[in-house]
Amino acid sequence: MSDLVAPKGTFDVLPPDSARFLAVRETLTAPLRRAGYGYVETPVFEDTAVFARGVGESTDVVSKEMYSFTDKGGRSLTLRPELTAGLMRAFIEHRLYSGALPVKLWSVGSAFRYERPQAGRYRHFTQVDVEALGTDDPALDAEVVALADQGYRDLGLTDYELQLTSLGDATCRPQYRELLTAFLGRLDLDEDTRRRAEINPLRVLDDKRPEVQAQLVDAPLMVDHLSDSTRAHYDAVREHLTDLGISWVEAPRLVRGLDYYTKTTFEFVHGGLGSQSGIGGGGRYDGLSAALGGPDVSGIGYAVGVDRTILAVQAEGLDLAVAPGVQAFVVPLGAAAKKLAVTLVGQLRAAGVSADTVYGDRGLKGAMKAADRSGAAQVVVIGDRDLAEGVGQLKTMATGEQVPVPLAELVERVRATVVS
């Protein structure tokens, strides 16, 4: 036996559980395709500066959790810890901003962070990422939030809530920053926390340690110091969400883990996941493009954790009605039947039927066990006598009914039975 195993904090997605993974991923992304968002793929590694400048030097993601390495050309590269910064880099590099705005994009893929593995938090995880770039419109904010909410609804999830706030913008953040910095300066904080506060004082509000949280009870809140324009923007977002039938709870202390958020900021949390309750979230990031050397255009987006969402589905005991591995299975008995089975399976697949057959030397009992494990609704059994008569025995697994069908009609007969 090999002593090679998956790295700590990672896991393999294997059948049959992988069917649930694919079903969740498909359900979360279906609303994006219906809304006209375009699919994008970016590299799983980028120049380290993409994340250092985009995500923020003061974040734990950049300071503690990134997988960075020097390649053979002496370049500093990093496995992506999140997808937004890479998509923004692509948006800038390929001048997508020069066309019609907003540019609506989505992606799905792996991300990597070095942190202590625990239930619901891994070093390798999968995210569905959505970005709407180039327009500062509160109606667009509401659309983005609604797309995430629709994915959860389509899965049948109910035990979750949307937390919502505004983190202000360049017109009101500087004054709030001064207030918060002055407040933090009076607290008993360790040196690392004080350094974080100097870079971005809002990051301290996201500190989960009880001894820090206890001192933040009376901290000034950004939502209480919004400018008139930012307040109007936030009011409009909430009005649009109400019109869309989406409920939320005010979360004035919501910061999230990345530095680029401004204005609308949100997170979806699930009641069945304990301390790691977040299943997705995002917000507006009006300065991210400029921070990466691009034009000063606005954007809003979110990331949904596929792995976290699967845990939420399991916590609610939802049946995703995952389709079986194949719809039809061919059982050949004898060499001549085996030759025909290979051809028949190919014809079924070409006709749009998912199909399989047995491989290796197995008798009828072993072959039927394989057919049963496949989940196929229809099984075609072909023996020497059937070949002589020019038929195949079509068995409906749910009822056990078995009827002879002429070989020339088998493909269409199976297809009519299993393809709606």
Side-chain angles (χ1 to χ4, degrees):
M1 294 292 293
S2 171
D3 58 357
L4 297 177
V5 297
K8 183 179 180 180
T10 69
F11 56 91
D12 299 309
V13 180
L14 305 173
D17 292 338
S18 54
R20 183 185 298 111
F21 178 92
L22 292 174
V24 169
R25 189 177 68 181
E26 172 66 22
T27 303
L28 292 173
T29 58
L32 313 178
R33 295 190 293 275
R34 294 197 298 266
Y37 283 62
Y39 181 69
V40 174
E41 280 203 22
T42 60
V44 296
F45 60 87
E46 298 269 3
D47 189 302
T48 298
V50 169
F51 305 116
R53 289 158 55 184
V55 175
E57 296 281 4
S58 70
T59 64
D60 285 346
V61 171
V62 171
S63 64
K64 300 178 181 179
E65 298 172 2
M66 294 203 310
Y67 281 94
S68 298
F69 60 96
T70 302
D71 73 358
K72 293 181 179 180
R75 295 169 286 260
S76 177
L77 302 176
T78 296
L79 296 178
R80 63 187 180 199
E82 54 95 57
L83 276 63
T84 296
L87 263 69
M88 183 61 80
R89 187 271 310 152
F91 171 79
I92 296 168
E93 179 179 347
H94 300 286
R95 301 179 63 84
L96 299 184
Y97 52 82
S98 62
L101 299 175
V103 176
K104 297 181 175 183
L105 308 172
W106 72 276
S107 187
V108 60
S110 297
F112 310 85
R113 296 183 189 178
Y114 187 85
E115 51 190 347
R116 184 171 63 85
Q118 53 188 296
R121 186 179 292 275
Y122 312 103
R123 292 177 176 174
H124 163 227
F125 50 94
T126 301
Q127 289 185 336
V128 173
D129 192 87
V130 175
E131 315 295 344
L133 308 169
T135 302
D136 182 11
D137 186 336
L140 188 60
D141 294 26
E143 174 182 280
V144 167
V145 173
L147 289 172
D149 184 73
Q150 189 63 57
Y152 294 135
R153 293 190 191 193
D154 290 347
L155 285 168
L157 291 172
T158 59
D159 188 19
Y160 70 91
E161 70 176 17
L162 167 62
Q163 298 181 349
L164 187 70
T165 194
S166 174
L167 290 180
D169 65 4
T171 66
C172 51
R173 281 273 280 274
Q175 294 89 338
Y176 170 70
R177 180 186 176 114
E178 289 183 9
L179 286 173
L180 182 58
T181 299
F183 174 84
L184 295 176
R186 298 191 294 270
L187 302 185
D188 181 19
L189 302 176
D190 60 83
E191 285 303 314
D192 285 344
T193 305
R194 289 201 177 281
R195 279 194 295 270
R196 185 180 299 126
E198 291 174 1
I199 300 173
N200 183 355
L202 269 74
R203 299 294 324 123
V204 181
L205 299 181
D206 195 41
D207 196 310
K208 300 299 190 294
R209 291 173 296 175
E211 64 272 22
V212 176
Q213 283 297 314
Q215 299 183 69
L216 297 174
V217 173
D218 297 323
L221 301 174
M222 183 69 250
V223 74
D224 295 329
H225 296 84
L226 299 177
S227 65
D228 290 343
S229 62
T230 307
R231 171 67 65 182
H233 185 281
Y234 189 41
D235 289 343
V237 171
R238 290 181 291 186
E239 184 175 348
H240 287 306
L241 290 176
T242 299
D243 293 342
L244 289 168
I246 297 174
S247 60
W248 72 92
V249 297
E250 294 287 348
R253 293 181 179 276
L254 179 62
V255 176
R256 295 187 50 78
L258 310 174
D259 274 359
Y260 48 60
Y261 289 118
T262 59
K263 293 184 180 176
T264 306
T265 305
F266 60 94
E267 185 164 17
F268 291 90
V269 297
H270 193 275
L273 300 188
S275 61
Q276 302 299 329
S277 60
I279 54 176
R284 183 162 283 284
Y285 41 83
D286 290 348
L288 179 56
S289 177
L292 291 174
D296 188 11
V297 298
S298 59
I300 183 169
Y302 68 76
V304 166
V306 176
D307 317 292
R308 293 274 189 90
T309 303
I310 290 173
L311 293 178
V313 167
Q314 293 172 334
E316 294 196 30
L318 298 176
D319 181 5
L320 297 181
V322 175
V326 295
Q327 296 167 305
F329 197 93
V330 181
V331 174
L333 304 175
K338 177 67 173 286
K339 188 174 186 300
L340 175 62
V342 172
T343 301
L344 182 58
V345 167
Q347 292 172 339
L348 285 167
R349 291 170 178 170
V353 178
S354 57
D356 200 2
T357 187
V358 66
Y359 294 96
D361 297 325
R362 299 194 193 182
L364 177 60
K365 183 176 180 180
M368 291 304 296
K369 282 185 177 180
D372 187 58
R373 286 194 298 269
S374 75
Q378 299 291 328
V379 174
V380 179
V381 181
I382 304 174
D384 291 339
R385 181 180 298 178
D386 299 311
L387 286 175
E389 296 176 1
V391 300
Q393 301 296 326
L394 182 59
K395 182 175 182 179
T396 302
M397 296 297 279
T399 64
E401 180 185 4
Q402 182 170 304
V403 295
V405 177
L407 294 175
E409 301 176 14
L410 267 174
V411 171
E412 186 54 37
R413 181 71 172 270
V414 171
R415 182 179 183 279
T417 304
V418 302
V419 178
S420 59

